[in-house]
Every structure is written in structure tokens, then in C-alpha cells.
Amino acid sequence: MAVARVTELVASSTESWDDAARQAVTRAAKTLRGITGIEIVRQTAKVDKGRIAEFRIHAKITFVLEK
């Protein structure tokens, strides 16, 4: 039987929400092993002078704990 843990994080990108999600997984994978999924909980953006300056995602990363 496997046991999983979920951790929450926020990531940002100047390109897109998709890029922010990819950056979140890439960064999390540097310190977490066994990542099995990501849930995007919320998408927000920073607006500057009437334009989106930064895309932000709030995510939950699931990973399986090692035995």
C-alpha cells in the first residue's frame, strides 16, 4: 500500500499559466521524489498598466512517500 502526501505551492511566469504550472513541477521535482500529479487550485495574475505582467498558479503537488 502506498502513502501519498500533498504540498501546496505558488508559481509564476511572465509567459502563461501553463508555463507557471510547468515551472512549479520542474522546481518541485528538484527536492521531491515520486511526484504523481498536480492540481491547479487557482489562477491569478498581476496586472501592470492594464496588461497582464505575471501569471500565477496556486497548486497542490502529490507525491508518494518512500518506504
Side-chain angles (χ1 to χ4, degrees):
M1 177 172 103
V3 175
R5 181 172 180 156
V6 177
T7 189
E8 295 186 41
L9 53 95
V10 178
S12 64
S13 168
T14 57
E15 302 298 318
S16 67
W17 282 295
D18 181 65
D19 185 54
R22 290 178 193 281
Q23 287 189 41
V25 172
T26 299
R27 176 57 185 92
K30 290 182 179 181
T31 55
L32 301 174
R33 291 183 301 278
I35 295 174
T36 60
I38 181 172
E39 175 187 0
I40 307 302
V41 178
R42 187 170 68 226
Q43 296 174 316
T44 59
K46 177 183 175 184
V47 176
D48 186 29
K49 298 178 184 174
R51 301 189 76 155
I52 294 177
E54 185 176 73
F55 299 87
R56 298 176 180 156
I57 58 112
H58 297 248
K60 292 182 180 181
I61 301 283
T62 303
F63 58 99
V64 177
L65 298 176
E66 295 177 348
K67 292 181 180 183

